[in-house]
């Protein structure tokens, strides 16, 4: 699913020479097929059933329960809401015009297209890739037996087979509705969300530059390994 979203972003880059949501404001109205794929990917990211990512989210929520479930729903809603906000601005031209809002730490303006020249039209092969990826993501959660086969393969039959539950479906729909609501609020009333001062330290820790991503990934991997090591040694 994430690869599909990256592929759709690559279409913007090769067609318009930019991947920045403000620079592309309303420019991609003609790309209806890409718009549909982008929105579907965003809804999948929110945890919309029956996509595979929603099934994985439901299994985790059932396992952890309590406050962590609330955290899972909130993070899914905020993340997908940001992607839906981009779709509303880029494909529909909604929200404020570029230049009227404060800039981000990083933008997609400096990205280089992968093609020699800007594309005058988007070839079918460029939309077929994200479409196939989204179909595969949907199949994991929707095709009977596929999720069970994947779950048994990765766990060697040691855990319960992944399956849909009423609670998982409800939480997936809840995070999806929250994502749509946040996106609508971000586009129509961006000041309501604002940029609170308490986020400044967080932005300094993770500005969006590649170095920050690498540093946090290494730290998280080290922490995960440290937490898992006692269990491995005892097992």
């Amino acid at each position: 699913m994430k690869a599909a979203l990256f592929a759709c972003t690559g279409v913007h880059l090769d067609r318009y020479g930019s991947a920045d949501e403000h620079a592309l404001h309303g420019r991609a109205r003609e790309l209806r097929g890409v718009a549909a794929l982008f929105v579907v990917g965003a809804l999948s990211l929110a945890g919309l059933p029956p996509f595979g990512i929603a099934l994985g989210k439901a299994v985790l929520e059932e396992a952890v329960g309590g406050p962590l479930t609330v955290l899972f729903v909130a993070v899914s809603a905020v993340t997908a809401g940001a992607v839906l906000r981009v779709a509303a601005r880029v494909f529909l031209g909604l929200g404020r015009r570029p230049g009227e809002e404060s800039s981000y730490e990083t933008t997609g303006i400096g990205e280089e297209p992968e093609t020699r020249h800007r594309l005058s039209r988007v070839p079918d092969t460029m939309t077929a890739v994200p479409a196939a990826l989204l179909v595969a993501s949907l199949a994991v959660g929707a095709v009977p037996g596929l999720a069970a086969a994947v779950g048994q393969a990765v766990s060697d039959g040691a855990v319960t087979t992944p399956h849909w539950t009423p609670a998982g479906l409800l939480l997936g729909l809840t995070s999806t509705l929250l994502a749509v609501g946040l996106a609508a609020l971000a586009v129509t009333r961006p000041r309501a969300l604002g940029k609170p001062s308490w986020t400044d330290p967080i932005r300094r820790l993770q500005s969006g530059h590649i170095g920050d991503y690498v540093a946090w990934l290494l730290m998280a991997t080290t922490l995960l390994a440290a937490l898992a090591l006692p269990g491995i040694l005892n097992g």
Side-chain angles (χ1 to χ4, degrees):
M1 183 279 305
K2 290 182 180 179
L5 289 174
F6 276 113
C8 290
T9 304
V11 172
H12 296 149
L13 187 61
D14 294 337
R15 176 68 177 83
Y16 303 107
S18 174
D20 182 75
E21 68 172 294
H22 294 289
L24 293 173
H25 190 276
R27 294 178 61 186
R29 289 187 176 93
E30 60 181 326
L31 303 181
R32 297 181 180 179
V34 178
L37 295 172
F38 199 87
V39 170
V40 170
L43 294 175
S44 171
L45 187 64
L48 178 67
F51 282 92
I53 192 172
L55 179 57
K57 173 175 164 294
V59 171
L60 288 173
E61 289 167 346
E62 183 179 355
V64 298
L68 284 179
T69 295
V70 176
L71 178 64
F72 281 19
V73 172
V75 170
S76 298
V78 172
T79 304
V83 180
L84 288 171
R85 180 201 68 205
V86 172
R89 286 175 171 170
V90 172
F91 296 107
L92 299 178
L94 301 179
R96 296 184 177 185
R97 301 295 303 178
E100 297 182 19
E101 298 180 73
S102 60
S103 60
Y104 294 98
E105 283 77 0
T106 57
T107 68
I109 297 178
E111 298 289 338
E112 294 292 335
E114 297 178 350
T115 54
R116 294 182 178 178
H117 308 284
R118 290 189 186 181
L119 300 176
S120 58
R121 60 174 297 274
V122 179
D124 294 337
T125 51
M126 293 189 73
T127 55
V129 171
L133 291 170
L134 287 173
V135 169
S137 177
L138 178 63
V140 172
V143 175
L146 182 56
V150 173
Q152 291 177 356
V154 299
S155 64
D156 195 23
V159 298
T160 304
T161 301
H163 62 281
W164 289 106
T165 63
L169 293 171
L170 180 60
L171 289 172
L173 292 175
T174 299
S175 59
T176 302
L177 290 176
L178 286 174
V180 174
L182 287 173
L185 189 62
V187 171
T188 59
R189 299 184 61 187
R191 292 184 180 179
L193 297 177
K195 183 182 177 182
S197 58
W198 60 264
T199 63
D200 291 340
I202 300 176
R203 290 175 181 271
R204 284 193 290 269
L205 289 173
Q206 171 55 294
S207 65
H209 293 286
I210 185 64
D212 290 347
Y213 279 105
V214 173
W216 282 106
L217 177 62
L218 290 175
M219 188 181 74
T221 303
T222 303
L223 178 60
L224 181 61
L227 293 173
L229 183 60
I232 296 174
L233 294 177
N234 294 332

